[in-house]
Amino acid sequence: MSYILALDQGTSSSRSIVFDRDGQIVAMAQREFRQLYPQPGWVEHDPREIWDSQLATAREVLAQAGTRAQAIAALGITNQRETTLVWDRATGEPIYNAIVWQDRRAEPTCEALRAAGLEPVVQAKTGLRIDAYFSGTKLKWILDHVSGAREKAQRGELAFGTVDSWLVWQLTGGRVHATDVSNASRTMLFNVRENRWDEELLRALDIPATLLPQVHPSSHRYGEVIPGLLDPQGPKHLAIAGIAGDQQAALFGQACFKAGLAKNTYGTGCFMLMHTGERFQLSQNGLVTTSAAQPSATPEFALEGSVFIGGAVVQWLRDGIRAIKASGEVESLADTVPDSGGVMFVPAFTGLGAPYWKPKATGAIVGLTRGSTAAHIARAALESIAFQSAALLQAMSRDAQAGGASAVAELRVDGGACVNNLLMQFQADLLGIPVVRPKVIETTALGAAYLAGLQCGVYKNLDELAALWQVDRRFLPTMPRSRAEELMARWEHAVRQATLE
């Protein structure tokens, strides 16, 4: 039996999971790390805490796996995307904190790029909109604001990377500076049609090419882990054989290998992707086009919609207003009322992402009455996750049909919040299609493991991987469509209030 180690570096925690070749979890370890908020709209991580927490969980999970750790065939990495790091090539030391994907400080740069008429160029080459969400403008901010950074970059002394590149650098002792196409596609600097860094976009943001990592397919032998770094008893030659950004990894882990298959991940944010095959299709409905995880050098694409605040709204209920003591309490509190009592919660704490793209939107709770309780607000908070996701799927289906394909027929779900049955049933009711939860919901890490397993020969092909996907529960819609449409209309009205339109 062959095993695969997956490193899953997320926004709020680092996890490591050992999978067997059937895609079943053998052992898992997780550690949270600090979220830093220097100013309103700014979100940072300490790069050393990212690495230390990830290394600690890898060592812990291999200790749990025991003798099976010696049979690990390869290592795969999946990571929070767009989060931007810059470090010194000679010392390996970060020159600034990691600027997290949620961070909005680069919005003035984005406004300048839009004013210069670059939106069509960016979209045609990268599939993305100009937005502070993506890495390129974050990188420019670091070069412009950290003393001496631009001069060092021009001398080739600095390295830029998303979190995967940072982990690879650490795992290989600085021997490898690389990323995969899925992470590169989220920088706003990468031509996804040609799978290369784009000189015109680099000039527009004044970014020296010497900063950039090499880009490879998602299933690729990137390098080897320093012997003994993770486990003195483990394999001496452990290859890093798969990398994908978390959402593309989840699409892969959900066996969505063919055009028309879609998944939604319910994590800190919500991320819905639909595979579109080898066809590059620009959205007409507020979505972005992104590179899918690529097993080979052949470009593959997906339409994506990103909700900035998904499960994080539950954290706000816990930490912000202390309506609950633990995140797991939200379902039982929400279940004490039959509905939200007319309350609508728009959690636009960091603006609104797809399909609205309203960076200046702010959070709003509307529809409050004298009879509103904490339970109603908790239920509205949970339902906000489903409302935002429903808006994404509606946009996605319109794009699919415009491209001559069928509307999405079912939605595969994963991520921590998908275990919430109340939320999943409400999601199916809003969408009017089945919502399908697999037996293994850690599909982000699983996708990284599958990519690594493909490269090292644990798996022969995609058909073998597709056969491993199994259903845990299928949520079927029960709400009349007229009621679902009425609720969606009320949601859109609440969004307009949050954006002062």
Side-chain angles (χ1 to χ4, degrees), residues 71 87 173-174 204 265 303 377 459 462:
W87 61 95
T265 297
L303 285 172
I377 293 173
Y459 306 109
L462 297 181

Side-chain angles (χ1 to χ4, degrees), residues 477-488:
T478 58
M479 181 182 291
R481 293 310 301 152
S482 58
R483 174 60 176 162
E485 291 166 1
E486 176 189 343
L487 288 173
M488 283 302 299

Side-chain angles (χ1 to χ4, degrees), residues 206-433:
D206 196 15
I207 292 173
T210 55
L211 280 164
L212 305 175
Q214 288 187 309
V215 184
H216 300 292
S218 308
S219 186
H220 177 82
R221 190 181 181 92
Y222 289 83
E224 289 192 355
V225 178
I226 299 170
L229 177 66
L230 304 183
D231 180 8
Q233 307 303 317
K236 291 184 179 179
H237 301 288
L238 180 59
I240 303 168
I243 296 177
D246 51 12
Q247 303 315 317
Q248 289 97 330
L251 189 71
F252 203 83
Q254 285 275 32
C256 295
F257 306 135
K258 298 178 181 178
L261 292 176
K263 70 87 195 176
N264 195 28
T265 297
Y266 298 81
T268 303
C270 289
F271 303 87
M272 188 179 295
L273 274 75
M274 180 181 72
H275 207 292
T276 59
E278 296 178 15
R279 182 168 59 91
F280 180 90
Q281 177 187 351
L282 289 177
S283 172
Q284 303 302 315
N285 294 282
L287 306 179
V288 300
T289 303
T290 194
S291 293
Q294 295 174 11
S296 69
T298 302
E300 296 181 31
F301 302 102
L303 285 172
E304 174 175 340
S306 304
V307 169
F308 296 156
I309 300 296
V313 72
V314 178
Q315 295 174 332
W316 181 81
L317 288 176
R318 182 192 66 190
D319 304 333
I321 62 171
R322 304 189 185 280
I324 52 177
K325 292 182 178 179
S327 297
E329 297 175 5
V330 68
E331 183 173 10
S332 57
L333 176 59
D335 214 16
T336 61
V337 291
D339 53 46
S340 68
V343 177
M344 284 279 174
F345 191 154
V346 183
F349 301 147
T350 55
L352 285 173
Y356 306 105
W357 297 106
K358 299 289 185 181
K360 296 180 181 178
T362 55
I365 302 175
V366 301
L368 293 170
T369 67
R370 185 63 183 83
S372 299
T373 66
H376 290 110
I377 293 173
R379 184 149 189 144
L382 272 185
E383 290 180 352
S384 75
I385 302 173
F387 279 122
Q388 293 177 96
S389 297
L392 291 181
L393 187 120
Q394 289 176 352
M396 200 164 279
S397 290
R398 288 194 294 271
D399 277 332
Q401 291 173 308
S406 300
V408 178
E410 70 173 25
L411 183 65
R412 299 181 179 186
V413 297
D414 53 62
C418 85
V419 300
N420 189 309
N421 292 332
L422 186 154
L423 173 60
M424 292 299 100
Q425 183 58 54
F426 187 67
Q427 187 73 85
D429 286 341
L430 282 182
L431 297 177
I433 60 173

Side-chain angles (χ1 to χ4, degrees), residues 447-465:
Y450 281 168
L451 287 163
L454 272 177
Q455 202 284 326
C456 70
V458 173
Y459 306 109
K460 295 177 181 177
N461 51 43
L462 297 181
D463 289 340
E464 185 176 354
L465 293 176

